[in-house]
């Protein structure tokens, strides 16, 4: 099979995630309750167009959740436009595609460990040292860059960058939760 134009053909085991795990606990869920939230966002590449340079047959690709809704060809085969592919996983390594980047959240407030009832908990405190909350707030303006493809921004993984508002689009890639957004959302970086 050969893909036509700027698309990749992928095989997806199932269109939606139907289980959720937390530690040793695994729960069955009805993916149709929220189908876009539970859409499977990865598949195995079975065909690429002749012009494609970044993606190869056999790669695992991660893509936008709407592919499951509007890219269905037949059975478990879907067509994915190359601009919707976030990254490729090849030989156990993540390789970014086109202008996408992966980020981890940066905390807006530093957490400290305190003891409550003999148990350690993570907490945020006020400037005077009073208890403020039992969880840290994620920054709404910056994130830590984890993966980025070729770019003119002279950025590399590990840097803290400032992003346009509403960049916090989460995807689970290779078992890790990342913010996924385009490089054009990056406004600047920390010193």
């Amino acid at each position: 099979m050969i893909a036509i134009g700027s698309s990749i053909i992928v095989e997806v085991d199932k269109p939606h995630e139907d289980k959720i795990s937390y530690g040793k606990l695994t729960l069955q869920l009805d993916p149709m309750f929220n189908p876009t939230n539970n859409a499977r966002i990865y598949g195995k590449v079975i065909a690429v167009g002749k012009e494609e340079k970044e993606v190869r047959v056999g790669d695992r690709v991660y893509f936008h959740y709407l592919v499951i809704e509007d890219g269905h060809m037949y059975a478990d085969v879907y067509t994915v436009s190359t601009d919707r592919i976030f990254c490729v996983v090849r030989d156990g390594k993540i390789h970014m595609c086109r202008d996408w980047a992966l980020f981890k959240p940066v905390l807006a407030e530093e957490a400290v460990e305190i003891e409550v009832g003999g148990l350690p908990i993570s907490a945020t405190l006020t400037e005077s040292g009073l208890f403020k909350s039992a969880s840290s707030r994620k920054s709404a303006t910056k994130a830590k860059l984890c993966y980025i493809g070729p770019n003119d921004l002279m950025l590399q993984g590990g840097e803290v960058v400032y992003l346009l508002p509403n960049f916090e689009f989460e995807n689970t890639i290779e078992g890790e939760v990342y913010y996924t957004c385009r490089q054009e959302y990056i406004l600047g970086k920390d010193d």
Side-chain angles (χ1 to χ4, degrees):
M1 184 182 301
I2 296 175
I4 307 277
S6 65
S7 65
I8 307 293
I9 299 174
V10 298
E11 184 177 56
V12 178
D13 296 357
K14 54 186 174 183
H16 296 91
E17 302 295 344
D18 57 3
K19 293 180 183 169
I20 188 167
S21 296
Y22 185 78
K24 294 181 181 180
L25 181 66
T26 299
L27 300 174
Q28 195 76 25
L29 63 95
D30 179 5
M32 294 296 98
F33 176 71
N34 190 351
T36 54
N37 192 52
N38 296 308
R40 174 76 52 102
I41 64 160
Y42 62 90
K44 180 182 174 186
V45 176
I46 59 173
V48 297
K50 292 179 181 179
E51 304 293 316
E52 180 55 39
K53 304 286 186 237
E54 293 183 73
V55 180
R56 301 179 197 153
V57 172
D59 286 344
R60 179 194 311 251
V61 292
Y62 284 84
F63 45 78
H64 195 280
Y65 70 92
L66 288 177
V67 166
I68 294 300
E69 215 171 283
D70 60 12
H72 191 240
M73 290 176 67
Y74 59 86
D76 56 356
V77 177
Y78 293 78
T79 182
V80 184
S81 175
T82 55
D83 66 332
R84 286 185 161 183
I85 297 174
F86 306 137
C87 62
V88 171
V89 177
R90 184 180 305 130
D91 301 325
K93 295 181 181 171
I94 296 174
H95 304 276
M96 297 311 298
C97 288
R98 312 301 184 277
D99 61 342
W100 291 96
L102 300 180
F103 306 88
K104 285 285 190 178
V106 170
L107 299 178
E109 304 166 315
E110 288 297 318
V112 295
E113 192 170 290
I114 62 172
E115 193 173 304
V116 176
L119 299 172
I121 66 164
S122 180
T124 55
L125 306 175
T126 64
E127 286 182 25
S128 61
L130 296 174
F131 179 82
K132 186 174 179 183
S133 72
S135 62
S136 298
R137 228 174 4 109
K138 296 175 186 174
S139 174
T141 58
K142 58 185 179 176
K144 182 178 179 184
L145 182 60
C146 295
Y147 295 95
I148 189 167
N151 65 84
D152 296 331
L153 308 170
M154 297 176 24
L155 293 172
Q156 56 189 358
E159 296 184 280
V160 175
V161 296
Y162 291 88
L163 297 152
L164 286 172
N166 303 317
F167 68 88
E168 306 97 335
F169 185 65
E170 289 185 347
N171 283 296
T172 302
I173 297 175
E174 295 296 288
E176 290 279 327
V177 177
Y178 295 100
Y179 293 144
T180 309
C181 70
R182 295 187 182 274
Q183 293 176 18
E184 67 191 50
Y185 281 70
I186 301 171
L187 302 174
K189 68 176 187 172
D190 265 354
D191 294 336

